[in-house]
Structure formats: structure tokens, C-alpha cells
Amino acid sequence: MELRINRRALIGLGVAAALTASSFAMLRTDSGNASSHREAPAIAGDPRNDNTDVYAFVSPDKADTVTLLSNWIPFQEPQGGPNFYTFDTKSRYNIKIDNDGDAKPDITYQWTFRDEDRRGNDTFLYNNGPVTSLDDQNLLYRQRYTLKRITPGGSKTLVSNGIVAPSNVGPASMPDYGTLRAQSITGLPGGGKTFAGQSDEAFFLDLHVFDLLYGGDLSEVGEETTKGYNVNTLGLQVPIKDLALKGDAKRNPVIGIWSTTDKFSPNGHVQVSRLGNPLVNELVAPAGLKDAFNALPPAKDADVPALVKRVTDPEVARLLQSIYGIKAPATPRNDLVQIFLTGIAKGNGPIAADLNSQSLNKDAGKVRPAEMLRLNTSIPPTKDPNRLGVLAGDLQGFPNGRRLVDDVVDIELQAVAGAAQSGKLVPGLTDKVDKNDKPFGQVFPYIPLPSNVSVNQR
């Protein structure tokens, strides 16, 4: 499929290659990125089932594959022993793909976990000596997993006895943690790789956004408040054709992605957490809808008028106007409907570009509005990624999928303030955190190794 985006369309999207040096400099005085951590009342008390970020991008070193990453268990203090951080053995962890636009999963990758615990009544230690390999006898506790690929046609087990990379206890216990991660990466039948284990908390932002949008005067910016914390990551790198509608990525390059957690209950497994685009449940859904949103499948989003209204008339835009005097664009915000609910295509609203809607797939039906991350897999990796993604003319970046380098707080603040309509960035609208404290890797799974240094330094 030929990607039909031209300069005129980019200007309409507010992304002109035309972004001037002066306007970029006004924003570049540092910026931030974000996620969904503790985003709803119920899941805030259940961190093992709280999914925090979803990333989806064409792999920079293997452009015929897509990398999907989803994180769980936020704000892991590296010294949080003696039991550290484990996946819930009674839950199912999912990454879901919609490739035909009906907002229902056409492909589900599902992980389930089991414990292998040899500590018994002998010790409280996670390990009783240096751990140099995943099968080292000094590692007294480990988790194993089963990974399935589920489609309407049935279920196939891809990995039956995978090993989770352990929590990074410290240099005495794990003198070469990189080796342990490398050993945990498992090949998939038919090509591809998967990973399960602890990682650096790679989303970067200043969380003072919740203190009246950075103190009410932008005085509370510039601190990477997630620095030093870890998360648990599930990752996949699979051939693009494995995700495309009818297996044909040329005719059908756009996919929708979200992750969920299904927690065991007396009535069976129940969805308790959901994540697609970053910050949606935190900053779009009101408090009274947050738990309901976590339990809702994307196919039902359009049936909840109170939720849709939070997109067409966003609270954040009104707060920016009342606190900072940044005039809120006129409602209804059909530009935000495209960004969050339908994907961006000329037929979907005021953003005059064909970018990442499943309506661009030649074999897709009518698109059902639904919140999910959407990725056009036909756009090749950018040699020099721009942290502002599509708003800076870098079409491989957010909201076309999400890369680890994408500065989604700044991008979403600018979009809510109307940048996608006006073609102009709002000067100074930034949290002044523009990159992660650790560099990203060059090969799968790309996300940095977990920290083993206490967040609270003496």
C-alpha cells in the first residue's frame, strides 16, 4: 500500500516538515513522556495486575517485524525485597491486535505464569549466592510462563516453559544481569522473539502534572519523577505479516493494539486493567468512570456517551484555559476523536491525512470508534527519531504507534491544546523532561535493563 501523506496534509495535521526552527526551539527547552500508572481506584491497590504502558513500533533493526511491549507493576523500588516483583500466577496477561477495524481482538498473545520456589522453610533469600545463569542453583525463586497465540480459529501454544528474567537484586547477587536477560529471550516458531522480565521504568515525565498541571504556574517541571524505578515487561517481536489482516501487510498495513489483564475470580477471569494510548484513563476518563473503563472492551467504548464526551470536550483543554489562559479549541473535538478513537484518515474528520486508521486497510470493514494504539506498519523506521513524533513530521512516532523515545506527555498536551488543528505548537507547554535517564537498546527488547540502585540515594 502506498502511504498517501503529502506536505499539505502534514500542515493540516500540525506536523509540517514545516515546523520552524524557532517554534521547535521554544518547545525544546526540555519535555516529557507519560503513561498510565495507578490510573483507577481499584487497580491502584492491585499493582501486579496494573498494566502501565504499551509500545508498538516497526523494529528499527528488523524493519520486517513489529515490536510490541507492555509493562506491568509500576513504581518498583529496586531494593523491594525479599520477595521482589512477580507476575500474578492466577491472572492472564494479554496483548491484543485488531486488524480489521471492528475493535475486537483478531489476535491475542496471552501469557500465564507459574512459580518455581525452592526456598521452603530454609531461607528468606531470593538467591543464596551469585546468579550467573537462569538455571543457576543459587536462584531459589523463579517464574516460568506459557505463551499462547489466540485467534477466532483457535489457540496455539508458542512457548510452554519460558523463564522470566528475575528481579535485579544487586551486583553481588547478579554480577552480569545483561546475560540473564539475554538468556530469557526466547525464539518463536515461524520467526520472532519473546521476552518476560524486569526492566527499567522507561517512560519519562514529571508527575507533578497532577498538582494542578505543574503547580498552576509551570513551576513544578523538569524532574523525572519515575527515574530509578523498574517495571515488569512482556515483549514480542513478530513478522509484520503475522499481525496484518489476511496476512497481507501491503494491502492491510494498519493494526490496533492494546493490553489487558484478566484476573481470576470465583466467576472466572475478569478484565481488571486495560491500556492502549497513554494517559487516556488518567487524564480523559473522570474518576467515576475509571474502574469501568478498565473493565470495558474497546468494542463497547462508543456505547458510553459520557466517555466519548470526555474526548470531544476534554477536561484538560478547559484546565489549560482556566489555569494558563491557553484558549481551548472549539468543541466537539473531532481531531481528538481521530487521534484516540478512529485513527487518522481523511475520511474520519478534520485532520486531512491518511496515517493510521484501519479504514486504510483495503480488506477492512467499517471502523468502530474505540480507544487503542494504532500503528501503520508500512512506515519505515526513522533514522533519527524526533521525540515529538508526528507533530514534528516524524511519521513513525506517536500517535502512529508509540516508540520508547516518544515524548507522549508533550505530544498529548500539544494535541489537546489544538496543535493538530492549527499546525502550530504552543510555546512553553512542556514538562521539561525530554528523554529517559537510561539509553534505549539497539536490539530487542530495546527497553533498558532494570536498575539495582535504591531510588532514595543517601
Side-chain angles (χ1 to χ4, degrees), residues 19 25 32 40 51 89 99 110 144 155 245 257 287 309 398 428 438 446 448:
L19 185 66
N51 49 353
T89 58
N99 54 31
Q110 184 177 95
R144 295 183 181 270
S155 173
L245 177 60
I257 309 102
K309 186 177 180 181
F398 183 77
K438 289 186 175 184
Y446 308 103

Side-chain angles (χ1 to χ4, degrees), residues 165-177:
S167 292
N168 191 354
V169 175
S173 293
M174 298 172 182
D176 185 1
Y177 190 86

Side-chain angles (χ1 to χ4, degrees), residues 301-357:
D301 289 347
D303 296 330
V304 185
L307 186 61
V308 174
K309 186 177 180 181
R310 302 293 293 196
V311 178
T312 59
D313 184 11
E315 180 182 4
V316 171
R318 287 183 269 116
L319 290 172
L320 288 173
Q321 178 169 304
S322 64
I323 296 173
Y324 293 113
I326 298 172
K327 184 175 175 57
T331 59
R333 293 296 302 278
N334 292 325
D335 56 326
L336 298 183
V337 169
Q338 284 184 267
I339 291 171
F340 292 115
L341 298 179
T342 65
I344 297 168
K346 292 175 185 175
N348 289 344
I351 301 177
D354 287 330
L355 181 64
N356 67 342
S357 171

Side-chain angles (χ1 to χ4, degrees), residues 9-280:
L10 292 181
I11 293 173
L13 182 54
V15 300
L19 185 66
T20 66
S22 59
S23 66
F24 181 72
M26 285 187 288
L27 203 73
R28 182 149 180 100
T29 54
D30 290 10
S31 264
N33 180 355
S35 155
S36 290
H37 296 44
R38 297 171 49 83
E39 73 281 356
I43 204 64
D46 191 7
R48 289 202 297 177
N49 291 294
D50 184 2
N51 49 353
T52 65
D53 287 277
V54 173
Y55 301 90
F57 50 90
V58 177
S59 308
D61 58 326
K62 296 192 69 175
D64 61 341
T65 70
V66 165
T67 293
L68 306 172
L69 304 174
S70 188
N71 294 337
W72 276 265
I73 315 179
F75 301 115
Q76 297 180 16
E77 219 295 336
Q79 304 307 316
N83 293 301
F84 295 97
Y85 306 98
T86 63
F87 291 101
D88 191 335
T89 58
K90 293 184 178 181
S91 294
R92 303 184 305 207
Y93 297 82
N94 309 292
I95 296 178
K96 299 184 177 183
I97 309 295
D98 167 34
N99 54 31
D100 60 8
D102 65 359
K104 298 177 181 179
D106 299 294
I107 304 165
T108 298
Y109 291 95
Q110 184 177 95
W111 288 259
T112 54
F113 296 87
R114 58 191 180 276
D115 291 336
E116 189 177 277
D117 193 343
R118 297 190 293 113
R119 292 173 296 183
N121 294 326
D122 296 330
T123 182
F124 61 84
L125 291 170
Y126 191 78
N127 56 287
N128 60 4
V131 177
T132 58
S133 68
L134 291 182
D135 60 2
D136 196 314
Q137 289 300 301
N138 291 334
L139 183 59
L140 303 178
Y141 174 90
R142 62 173 63 83
Q143 287 196 302
R144 295 183 181 270
Y145 67 89
T146 296
L147 170 61
K148 295 181 179 180
R149 186 179 192 267
I150 303 168
T151 67
S155 173
K156 178 181 180 181
T157 297
L158 302 180
V159 179
S160 59
N161 203 30
I163 302 180
V164 179
S167 292
N168 191 354
V169 175
S173 293
M174 298 172 182
D176 185 1
Y177 190 86
T179 293
L180 301 181
R181 169 179 280 188
Q183 292 175 353
S184 73
I185 297 173
T186 301
L188 299 177
K193 303 173 184 177
T194 187
F195 163 74
Q198 194 180 48
S199 300
D200 173 61
E201 174 53 280
F203 96 104
F204 46 95
L205 84 166
D206 192 324
L207 279 169
H208 292 104
V209 63
F210 298 110
D211 185 17
L212 292 179
L213 272 63
Y214 304 111
D217 58 1
L218 288 177
S219 62
E220 298 177 358
V221 294
E223 179 185 359
E224 187 187 348
T225 46
T226 53
K227 180 179 179 179
Y229 290 102
N230 296 325
V231 292
N232 278 19
T233 297
L234 299 179
L236 289 166
Q237 186 176 79
V238 294
I240 293 174
K241 63 180 178 59
D242 287 0
L243 304 179
L245 177 60
K246 295 185 177 181
D248 190 340
K250 291 185 177 180
R251 285 180 58 84
N252 306 301
V254 180
I255 57 174
I257 309 102
W258 70 101
S259 66
T260 64
T261 316
D262 304 328
K263 185 176 181 178
F264 179 78
S265 76
N267 297 319
H269 283 86
V270 177
Q271 181 179 307
V272 296
S273 187
R274 163 190 169 189
L275 188 67
N277 286 288
L279 289 176
V280 167

Side-chain angles (χ1 to χ4, degrees), residues 3 5 10 13 15 54-59 66-68 253-257 276-278 338-340 343-345 351 353-358 360-361 372-382 386-406 408 411-412:
L3 187 64
I5 302 179
L10 292 181
L13 182 54
V15 300
V54 173
Y55 301 90
F57 50 90
V58 177
S59 308
V66 165
T67 293
L68 306 172
V254 180
I255 57 174
I257 309 102
N277 286 288
Q338 284 184 267
I339 291 171
F340 292 115
I344 297 168
I351 301 177
D354 287 330
L355 181 64
N356 67 342
S357 171
Q358 287 112 315
L360 301 174
N361 292 342
M372 66 181 75
L373 195 63
R374 291 175 171 87
L375 173 67
N376 189 324
T377 62
S378 71
I379 300 176
T382 306
N386 190 302
R387 66 182 180 84
L388 294 179
V390 173
L391 288 181
D394 182 354
L395 300 183
Q396 207 216 5
F398 183 77
N400 181 33
R402 181 185 175 188
R403 304 167 299 190
L404 289 163
V405 300
D406 286 335
V408 297
I411 294 169
E412 290 194 358

